[in-house]
Amino acid sequence: MSELTRDQVVSAVHPVDDAIVAEIIATGATQADLATACAFVAREIREHEARDVPPRPGGEVVSLLDPGGA
């Protein structure tokens, strides 16, 4: 398991401010967790449907990406 870098987060989630980048990295999420969280949020936005949030740390990333929806 490797720690996310700022560049990986910015590449997957943009625009994003530095505070959110730091919080995402602090969750201990992997690149796979970040990809899962991004897909989850995009699907919820597209389908307007609430789903069960993925387990940690991916769920923490979801709440950072979509604080009003998760």
Side-chain angles (χ1 to χ4, degrees):
M1 172 165 37
S2 63
E3 185 174 300
L4 287 170
T5 65
R6 181 187 186 289
D7 289 341
Q8 289 171 321
V9 175
V10 170
S11 175
V13 185
H14 58 287
V16 63
D17 65 42
D18 288 335
I20 297 297
V21 171
E23 288 185 59
I24 290 171
I25 291 170
T27 67
T30 64
Q31 204 166 1
D33 294 326
L34 178 60
T36 299
C38 289
F40 179 92
V41 171
R43 187 174 49 246
E44 282 209 336
I45 290 169
R46 184 178 61 248
E47 297 176 4
H48 303 287
E49 183 177 320
R51 300 176 192 268
D52 290 335
V53 176
R56 295 179 139 209
E60 291 177 87
V61 176
V62 167
S63 67
L64 291 167
L65 296 176
D66 186 24

